[in-house]
Amino acid sequence: MIGYLFQCELALLELAERSWDDPAAEVRMEVLDDIEFLHGSGTPAELLQSKHRSEAGQLSETGKDFWRSVASWIDALKKIGNPGVESMPLLRLVTTQVAAEGTFYYLLRRGPGRDVSAALARMEEVAAADGPKTTAEERKLYLELSPSQRYQFVDALVISDGSPVMSDLDSSLARAMGIRVNQQDAVLDQIKGWWYRVAVQLLERKDPARQRASVSAQELLCRLDEVSDQFAGENLPITEELRRLTAAEIDAYHDDLVVKQMRWIGLKDRAIATYLRDYHHARAQRSEWLRTFKITEEGLADYEQRLWDEWDHIFVDLTDDLDDESEEADKRSVGKNVLSKTMDKVADEPARLGSTTVGWVGRGTMHSLADRADPDEGPGWHPDFSSLCRNRANEQEK
């Protein structure tokens, strides 16, 4: 079990380390290998096998961990069309065990002591030996490669030995992400909580709606900013220039639910135009934040949930005294009050905790929620918005 968790957190660590030089790097898991890294194309630039042993010890040249990895890599390379030297992915074994001097593992580590030719000769000697039977098939598979293929294979092979064991990974993660020591536990708890949810999506194979192909270093950096900003208070950039909407822009929203919600409480054109201005620019600003990885979809969903919660308290409080016998005029009056108080409250809610956000982003985002309101959950302004939303949906279906 620790081995699987190690694989998951190793993918996070490797992605964090790449983020400094290549924020466009992407990671995926269990497609062609334990962990894969993509760099601007569908073909992996690196195939990584992760091996965790709590009692480190030394790597055995005839060990199952290595030779089964070799067989896995050969199979993966066949699936991507046996790439040539130019497009050959890096084949990397990350292990908590240690490479002893004189072994081919030692010769395939990064650094000045790397010697591909000597490692190749030693690997072929081990592969051709009589035993052990536990790796006979995998060693045979390697020897069936042509001499040039074996050289290309070994040339692409990198041994990363002495990796921290699972219980020591947190300090490596904190360093890779640049997290301050006094914030390490709090920030890592949130980052790892997010990462494990992402990992489940990466590993999902049955439900397309719940799966994702990969995660980029840029998205990790964005999530790290969101979490770190709770302690630093950094504000999201405002790039939208607030302006009056044209008559054509306003008219384009004429049949949208966001406008219907305002019509149901009796708002006039001038008030609707003002609220639509917030709605229009907040939509564009949120899209810009998502596009440029200033906020993640999870961070935005958290913000919207906080806005919804403010509305819910206000709506329940102001509509509690109404009943089925209440006059329509009274209901509209209450609805206007719900809208006004909600707008005042959400204008002060930051898009990212610990920061500040201009008021029109909160007001406009609240209208976005009203535009896609759930009849059972809201948000809405009119006390009877639930039935009004259902009636509208029924009419549209007809």
Side-chain angles (χ1 to χ4, degrees):
M1 183 63 187
I2 290 178
Y4 288 119
L5 295 174
F6 176 74
Q7 175 185 342
C8 185
E9 294 202 15
L10 179 63
L12 174 60
L13 174 61
E14 292 277 335
L15 189 63
E17 290 175 340
R18 283 163 171 76
S19 69
W20 293 95
D21 300 317
D22 186 10
E26 296 178 77
V27 67
R28 65 186 186 189
M29 291 194 290
E30 297 291 347
V31 178
L32 292 171
D33 211 344
D34 291 351
I35 301 168
E36 302 160 44
F37 287 95
L38 315 174
H39 296 266
S41 71
T43 301
E46 180 174 330
L47 300 175
L48 188 154
Q49 285 272 322
S50 66
K51 302 299 179 184
H52 185 276
R53 295 289 178 268
S54 54
E55 296 180 2
Q58 293 185 341
L59 285 164
S60 166
E61 288 187 311
T62 59
K64 291 185 291 185
D65 278 355
F66 174 73
W67 287 104
R68 287 179 181 174
S69 294
V70 168
S72 176
W73 284 322
I74 291 173
D75 182 58
L77 292 172
K78 287 179 180 177
K79 289 178 180 177
I80 57 178
N82 292 318
V85 176
E86 297 296 324
S87 55
M88 182 73 172
L90 186 69
L91 307 175
R92 189 155 154 254
L93 178 71
V94 176
T95 175
T96 54
Q97 293 183 293
V98 178
E101 190 170 354
T103 62
F104 61 75
Y105 296 120
Y106 192 85
L107 297 169
L108 290 175
R109 301 191 308 172
R110 286 192 173 110
R114 181 175 171 85
D115 189 335
V116 174
S117 296
L120 174 65
R122 178 58 188 160
M123 263 187 71
E124 294 190 345
E125 182 181 333
V126 172
D130 290 337
K133 293 181 179 180
T134 53
T135 59
E137 290 186 11
E138 289 81 7
R139 289 182 287 117
K140 179 183 176 184
L141 196 63
Y142 169 72
L143 291 173
E144 286 174 352
L145 298 176
S146 68
S148 62
Q149 286 176 324
R150 290 200 294 271
Y151 182 87
Q152 182 181 332
F153 185 93
V154 176
D155 189 44
L157 221 168
V158 171
I159 304 299
S160 298
D161 65 327
S163 174
V165 294
M166 182 68 183
S167 56
D168 293 331
L169 270 185
D170 277 3
S171 57
S172 299
L173 282 167
R175 282 195 300 273
M177 296 181 197
I179 301 171
R180 296 176 184 176
V181 174
N182 64 332
Q183 298 175 356
Q184 176 176 318
D185 290 345
V187 173
L188 280 181
D189 280 350
Q190 293 195 46
I191 290 293
K192 288 165 72 172
W194 165 78
W195 180 253
Y196 275 104
R197 288 194 298 274
V198 168
V200 170
Q201 296 170 341
L202 290 174
L203 296 170
E204 173 65 47
R205 292 294 179 267
K206 293 183 179 179
D207 187 352
R210 294 184 179 183
Q211 63 186 218
R212 62 189 297 169
S214 62
V215 184
S216 72
Q218 199 167 23
E219 185 173 357
L220 169 60
L221 290 173
C222 180
R223 185 58 183 158
L224 181 61
D225 283 345
E226 289 176 338
V227 174
S228 300
D229 286 353
Q230 295 178 27
F231 304 91
E234 182 180 341
N235 298 326
L236 289 167
I238 299 298
T239 55
E240 272 292 294
E241 182 180 348
L242 201 61
R243 59 171 178 79
R244 290 186 179 182
L245 301 187
T246 65
E249 286 174 322
I250 293 172
D251 189 59
Y253 295 119
H254 180 267
D255 293 323
D256 288 7
L257 180 57
V258 63
V259 174
K260 298 298 181 185
Q261 291 255 36
M262 290 187 271
R263 293 288 187 200
W264 290 335
I265 59 172
L267 290 194
K268 296 179 181 179
D269 290 348
R270 180 67 179 84
I272 291 174
T274 298
Y275 285 126
L276 282 178
R277 181 179 64 212
D278 293 340
Y279 170 67
H280 179 91
H281 290 294
R283 287 176 67 196
Q285 186 62 75
R286 293 195 312 274
S287 295
E288 174 68 10
W289 285 341
L290 287 170
R291 186 184 66 80
T292 57
F293 290 94
K294 297 298 187 296
I295 193 169
T296 58
E297 291 183 2
E298 291 86 356
L300 187 57
D302 177 67
Y303 174 49
E304 291 177 344
Q305 179 59 43
R306 285 185 276 118
L307 297 185
W308 182 94
D309 188 63
E310 297 294 349
W311 162 82
D312 191 41
H313 282 284
I314 293 168
F315 184 82
V316 169
D317 182 52
L318 294 181
T319 61
D320 190 54
D321 292 333
L322 295 174
D323 54 38
D324 293 339
E325 305 303 319
S326 299
E327 296 290 335
E328 178 62 23
D330 293 335
K331 291 181 179 180
R332 288 190 170 198
S333 178
V334 168
K336 288 180 180 178
N337 205 11
V338 171
L339 173 61
S340 176
K341 288 186 178 295
T342 300
M343 292 297 108
D344 288 343
K345 191 70 176 177
V346 301
D348 295 328
E349 184 66 31
R352 183 179 284 168
L353 291 174
S355 64
T356 59
T357 306
V358 292
W360 56 263
V361 171
R363 294 192 299 267
T365 301
M366 196 71 235
H367 283 298
S368 286
L369 296 179
D371 187 56
R372 57 180 189 266
D374 184 316
D376 295 319
E377 299 204 2
W381 320 125
H382 194 286
D384 297 331
F385 80 89
S386 293
S387 59
L388 291 168
C389 284
R390 288 193 186 93
N391 291 341
R392 179 176 181 271
N394 291 335
E395 290 173 5
Q396 287 179 327
E397 285 182 11
K398 291 178 182 179

PDB file of all heavy atoms in Angstrom, residues 40 60 82 96 111 115 143 147 283 368:
ATOM      1  N   GLY A  40       4.542  18.981 -24.284  1.00  0.00           N
ATOM      2  CA  GLY A  40       4.037  19.613 -25.498  1.00  0.00           C
ATOM      3  C   GLY A  40       3.585  18.672 -26.587  1.00  0.00           C
ATOM      4  O   GLY A  40       3.308  19.098 -27.701  1.00  0.00           O
ATOM      5  N   SER A  60      19.732  -5.203  -6.459  1.00  0.00           N
ATOM      6  CA  SER A  60      20.298  -6.439  -7.001  1.00  0.00           C
ATOM      7  C   SER A  60      20.233  -6.396  -8.527  1.00  0.00           C
ATOM      8  O   SER A  60      19.202  -6.055  -9.107  1.00  0.00           O
ATOM      9  CB  SER A  60      19.501  -7.642  -6.478  1.00  0.00           C
ATOM     10  OG  SER A  60      19.808  -8.804  -7.220  1.00  0.00           O
ATOM     11  N   ASN A  82       8.047   2.183 -31.202  1.00  0.00           N
ATOM     12  CA  ASN A  82       9.513   2.018 -31.167  1.00  0.00           C
ATOM     13  C   ASN A  82      10.239   3.264 -31.649  1.00  0.00           C
ATOM     14  O   ASN A  82      10.843   3.279 -32.735  1.00  0.00           O
ATOM     15  CB  ASN A  82       9.932   0.804 -32.011  1.00  0.00           C
ATOM     16  CG  ASN A  82       9.471  -0.499 -31.381  1.00  0.00           C
ATOM     17  OD1 ASN A  82       9.561  -0.689 -30.176  1.00  0.00           O
ATOM     18  ND2 ASN A  82       8.972  -1.399 -32.215  1.00  0.00           N
ATOM     19  N   THR A  96      14.066   3.660  -3.712  1.00  0.00           N
ATOM     20  CA  THR A  96      14.592   3.997  -2.385  1.00  0.00           C
ATOM     21  C   THR A  96      15.845   3.185  -2.064  1.00  0.00           C
ATOM     22  O   THR A  96      16.545   3.484  -1.105  1.00  0.00           O
ATOM     23  CB  THR A  96      13.523   3.731  -1.305  1.00  0.00           C
ATOM     24  OG1 THR A  96      13.062   2.378  -1.418  1.00  0.00           O
ATOM     25  CG2 THR A  96      12.335   4.663  -1.484  1.00  0.00           C
ATOM     26  N   GLY A 111      25.478  11.998 -13.816  1.00  0.00           N
ATOM     27  CA  GLY A 111      26.720  12.524 -13.268  1.00  0.00           C
ATOM     28  C   GLY A 111      27.934  12.122 -14.082  1.00  0.00           C
ATOM     29  O   GLY A 111      27.821  11.382 -15.077  1.00  0.00           O
ATOM     30  N   ASP A 115      28.454   5.726 -17.498  1.00  0.00           N
ATOM     31  CA  ASP A 115      29.183   5.050 -18.572  1.00  0.00           C
ATOM     32  C   ASP A 115      28.227   4.060 -19.243  1.00  0.00           C
ATOM     33  O   ASP A 115      28.053   2.926 -18.777  1.00  0.00           O
ATOM     34  CB  ASP A 115      30.404   4.312 -17.993  1.00  0.00           C
ATOM     35  CG  ASP A 115      31.328   3.764 -19.075  1.00  0.00           C
ATOM     36  OD1 ASP A 115      30.845   3.522 -20.209  1.00  0.00           O
ATOM     37  OD2 ASP A 115      32.516   3.551 -18.791  1.00  0.00           O
ATOM     38  N   LEU A 143      17.091  -9.401 -24.307  1.00  0.00           N
ATOM     39  CA  LEU A 143      18.097  -9.936 -25.235  1.00  0.00           C
ATOM     40  C   LEU A 143      17.560 -10.102 -26.651  1.00  0.00           C
ATOM     41  O   LEU A 143      18.335 -10.166 -27.612  1.00  0.00           O
ATOM     42  CB  LEU A 143      18.624 -11.279 -24.729  1.00  0.00           C
ATOM     43  CG  LEU A 143      19.487 -11.221 -23.464  1.00  0.00           C
ATOM     44  CD1 LEU A 143      19.811 -12.622 -22.968  1.00  0.00           C
ATOM     45  CD2 LEU A 143      20.763 -10.418 -23.729  1.00  0.00           C
ATOM     46  N   PRO A 147      21.093  -5.392 -31.320  1.00  0.00           N
ATOM     47  CA  PRO A 147      22.192  -4.699 -30.633  1.00  0.00           C
ATOM     48  C   PRO A 147      22.002  -3.180 -30.591  1.00  0.00           C
ATOM     49  O   PRO A 147      22.254  -2.545 -29.559  1.00  0.00           O
ATOM     50  CB  PRO A 147      23.425  -5.095 -31.454  1.00  0.00           C
ATOM     51  CG  PRO A 147      23.067  -6.441 -32.016  1.00  0.00           C
ATOM     52  CD  PRO A 147      21.599  -6.361 -32.325  1.00  0.00           C
ATOM     53  N   ARG A 283     -17.776  37.511 -15.553  1.00  0.00           N
ATOM     54  CA  ARG A 283     -17.605  36.294 -16.362  1.00  0.00           C
ATOM     55  C   ARG A 283     -16.271  36.336 -17.100  1.00  0.00           C
ATOM     56  O   ARG A 283     -15.516  35.355 -17.118  1.00  0.00           O
ATOM     57  CB  ARG A 283     -18.738  36.163 -17.385  1.00  0.00           C
ATOM     58  CG  ARG A 283     -20.073  35.763 -16.807  1.00  0.00           C
ATOM     59  CD  ARG A 283     -21.135  35.750 -17.881  1.00  0.00           C
ATOM     60  NE  ARG A 283     -20.915  34.712 -18.868  1.00  0.00           N
ATOM     61  CZ  ARG A 283     -21.501  34.673 -20.067  1.00  0.00           C
ATOM     62  NH1 ARG A 283     -22.331  35.634 -20.432  1.00  0.00           N
ATOM     63  NH2 ARG A 283     -21.259  33.681 -20.898  1.00  0.00           N
ATOM     64  N   SER A 368     -24.008  35.112 -11.998  1.00  0.00           N
ATOM     65  CA  SER A 368     -23.719  33.901 -12.780  1.00  0.00           C
ATOM     66  C   SER A 368     -24.349  32.681 -12.136  1.00  0.00           C
ATOM     67  O   SER A 368     -24.866  31.792 -12.828  1.00  0.00           O
ATOM     68  CB  SER A 368     -22.201  33.695 -12.898  1.00  0.00           C
ATOM     69  OG  SER A 368     -21.638  34.615 -13.799  1.00  0.00           O
TER      70      SER A 368
END
